[in-house]
Amino acid sequence: MPSTVRALNEICAVPLPSRMTEAAHVLNGAAKQLEEALLAGPPPAERTPRERASAAEAKDAVRTLRHRFLTRHTEDVYDELTGAGTRRPRLDRLVGDAALRFPGLLPSRALMEVESKRMQADKEGAEIDQGLFVRAVLGSPRTGRHLIDSMLRPTPAGVDLLPEFRRTGTVDLGPVRIERVGRAAHVTMCAPDRLNAEDDAQVAAMETAVDLALLDPGVGVGVVRGGTMTHPRYRGRRVFSAGINLKELHRGGISLIGFLLGRELGYINKIIRGLDPGDGESWRPRTVQKPWVAAVDTFAIGGGAQLLLAFDRLIAGRDAYVSLPAAQEGIVPGAANLRLGRVAGPRVSREVILWGRRIWASEADASHLFDTVVEPDRVDAAVEEAVERLDSPAVVTNRRMLRLAEHPPEPFREYMAEFALQQALRLYSEDVIHKTGRFTTRARADESDEER
């Protein structure tokens, strides 16, 4: 590894060629040297302190080259990958295509396959390089807007399942179930053993469910709620969500592209901005939008609380609470840093995100978060009333205009560009790895997930 470090530092000492093809060739040569050295040597968990330092220096050198390349060539790369914007690949496809079409710009498929089998603490941190790429794409107003708009297209699963949903009114997606009741599509998160803690599979299922609700013309309003739990502490009770699945993160199963970025750019952004069916040029509004209601039973922690900030009507049982333990977990709470201050004010936002404050539905500050707070046995009735009131064409039009005012697209693009890299760095920071390992040990001792 020391010889590789010297070689990479020598490459970094010379400016990259100005032409993209020549610069890409230099970058590929450097990235290939790095990956060969990493894969030939001991895995991260077995390295000595000196070997870890050498590996970190080598990775930093290649990331510097990637950053230089992207600073100059991001838009040209994106145009080649999308046919100058005529194709609209989803984020995972875009990243995969970029790794193939521009070798060295992103970690190779071979390295990513090795990484996918490792615990989070034992990985090289290749997703940091993916974060660099996504930050560059989203950081350009032209390519960033195109990618965000592309992520508003329906998923293949949503398109394939639409005929079944329209015919039967229900689809079981595993960790998520969607059922049409009258004019409402009830999306129920049903991972009862883990308190609806989200992983990659649940994020994918949620986006499919949101697609079905937005694509079905028989649906006027979407409703999201947590199902009934089998978890020992909450058996028989509804729970909205316990946030990110920290056990899965500890095992290395939470992805930057599919989960942390795909969640925000996918189903949450579709709830806010609607779905683009891709019908071609039209003078009509590009996206299909519908009002959305969320009903919170027991608690909405972490990602569950982030999700609430996307809804038009929020209902909570009086005994419910919300919290965003970002500082405790060590990661960035999605786009909550962008949105929470707008609805609750900057001081409350800092108390919740930086200080770990828990807000109960029964306290005064909860009025910034919830529209309706009722006794737990009245939540069903409150949901029915909300659906009836919101199922109106005039509501849809006014909602569209409110969304433009409250969630302007450019700040979201700029936020997500920086989020792509900052969240990737947090995933591989020592404090996060230590905290997730400690949580997993505590969970194995049968302590409550709620303590997060």
Side-chain angles (χ1 to χ4, degrees):
M1 185 63 78
S3 60
T4 301
V5 171
R6 287 193 297 271
L8 293 176
N9 284 334
E10 289 175 3
I11 294 172
C12 280
V14 180
L16 283 173
S18 57
R19 293 184 59 186
M20 184 173 72
T21 53
E22 295 174 2
H25 178 73
V26 173
L27 175 57
N28 183 33
K32 189 174 181 180
Q33 285 189 62
L34 172 65
E35 290 198 8
E36 287 176 350
L38 292 176
L39 294 173
E46 298 176 13
R47 289 173 190 157
T48 66
R50 185 175 180 179
E51 288 171 335
R52 285 197 294 270
S54 293
E57 186 177 352
K59 286 185 279 190
D60 187 67
V62 172
R63 284 172 185 149
T64 298
L65 289 176
R66 284 171 172 150
H67 172 68
R68 291 177 184 172
F69 180 88
L70 288 166
T71 298
R72 179 171 290 184
H73 300 296
T74 293
E75 293 193 355
D76 293 331
V77 168
Y78 192 83
D79 284 346
E80 186 165 333
L81 294 173
T82 64
T86 59
R87 297 187 296 273
R88 291 191 173 272
R90 288 180 59 82
L91 179 60
D92 57 347
R93 176 67 181 272
L94 180 75
V95 170
D97 288 350
L100 292 174
R101 295 278 291 278
F102 295 89
L105 179 57
L106 286 156
S108 68
R109 180 179 296 176
L111 179 58
M112 294 307 298
E113 287 178 354
V114 171
E115 289 279 90
S116 69
K117 298 178 176 66
R118 289 172 170 168
M119 302 283 282
Q120 191 71 15
D122 299 337
K123 294 187 178 188
E124 299 285 2
E127 287 177 304
I128 295 172
D129 300 274
Q130 293 179 334
L132 270 173
F133 173 72
V134 178
R135 181 181 69 167
V137 171
L138 291 176
S140 160
R142 179 170 69 84
T143 62
R145 284 195 294 266
H146 187 273
L147 175 58
I148 289 172
D149 288 347
S150 299
M151 290 294 287
L152 295 179
R153 293 290 180 89
T155 59
V159 173
D160 292 344
L161 290 170
L162 181 61
E164 176 186 345
F165 182 61
R166 294 191 65 182
R167 184 178 69 255
T168 67
T170 182
V171 173
D172 188 343
L173 298 165
V176 176
R177 185 178 67 254
I178 180 170
E179 181 180 8
R180 188 175 59 244
V181 180
R183 292 271 297 166
H186 289 258
V187 176
T188 304
M189 296 178 284
C190 39
D193 58 331
R194 61 174 189 266
L195 304 176
N196 289 328
E198 282 190 291
D199 56 15
D200 282 43
Q202 184 157 333
V203 166
M206 281 294 291
E207 184 163 9
T208 301
V210 169
D211 284 353
L212 292 173
L214 290 170
L215 287 169
D216 185 355
V219 170
V221 181
V223 178
V224 175
R225 195 173 181 185
T228 303
M229 299 293 103
T230 59
H231 186 281
R233 179 164 292 213
Y234 300 96
R235 192 182 307 276
R237 295 176 59 185
R238 283 183 180 264
V239 166
F240 190 76
S241 173
I244 190 171
N245 188 335
L246 292 180
K247 297 179 191 176
E248 196 64 21
L249 176 57
H250 175 68
R251 287 195 291 264
I254 297 294
S255 69
L256 175 71
I257 299 301
F259 184 107
L260 295 163
L261 291 172
R263 182 176 186 268
E264 295 291 342
L265 298 173
Y267 84 85
I268 293 180
N269 203 33
K270 286 176 178 177
I271 289 173
I272 293 172
R273 292 185 167 84
L275 178 144
D276 180 2
D279 293 336
E281 295 182 1
S282 172
W283 60 271
R284 297 184 182 278
R286 182 172 55 85
T287 58
V288 175
Q289 295 194 25
K290 296 174 184 180
W292 285 85
V293 178
V296 179
D297 302 275
T298 312
F299 56 71
I301 299 174
Q306 298 165 28
L307 178 56
L308 297 182
L309 300 173
F311 287 85
D312 301 292
R313 191 78 182 174
L314 290 175
I315 298 164
R318 195 171 302 279
D319 60 345
Y321 70 85
V322 298
S323 69
L324 278 168
Q328 290 73 33
E329 293 173 351
I331 57 177
V332 182
N337 305 62
L338 176 69
R339 297 176 180 138
L340 183 59
R342 294 174 180 171
V343 299
R347 302 321 315 168
V348 172
S349 177
R350 280 168 171 75
E351 286 184 352
V352 171
I353 294 173
L354 304 181
W355 200 252
R357 177 184 169 187
R358 180 181 294 184
I359 297 182
W360 292 87
S362 57
E363 64 180 281
D365 280 339
S367 63
H368 298 296
L369 300 174
F370 298 112
D371 302 292
T372 303
V373 177
V374 297
E375 296 302 324
D377 61 357
R378 295 292 299 162
V379 173
D380 289 349
V383 169
E384 291 179 10
E385 180 186 6
V387 168
E388 183 178 354
R389 292 283 295 272
L390 292 175
D391 187 15
S392 161
V395 167
V396 173
T397 299
N398 281 285
R399 180 221 195 253
R400 186 183 295 273
M401 304 311 294
L402 283 169
R403 291 299 183 172
L404 283 174
E406 296 169 351
H407 299 272
E410 277 303 283
F412 177 69
R413 177 190 63 78
E414 293 171 356
Y415 179 93
M416 290 304 300
E418 189 60 25
F419 173 82
L421 180 58
Q422 294 299 329
Q423 190 72 299
L425 291 170
R426 287 278 79 212
L427 281 180
Y428 295 97
S429 61
E430 290 185 9
D431 61 310
V432 169
I433 289 171
H434 174 70
K435 288 170 183 175
T436 56
R438 187 176 60 191
F439 167 80
T440 301
T441 300
R442 196 167 68 237
R444 285 172 181 163
D446 199 31
E447 294 190 12
S448 170
D449 287 11
E450 183 187 355
E451 293 303 314
R452 289 191 292 153

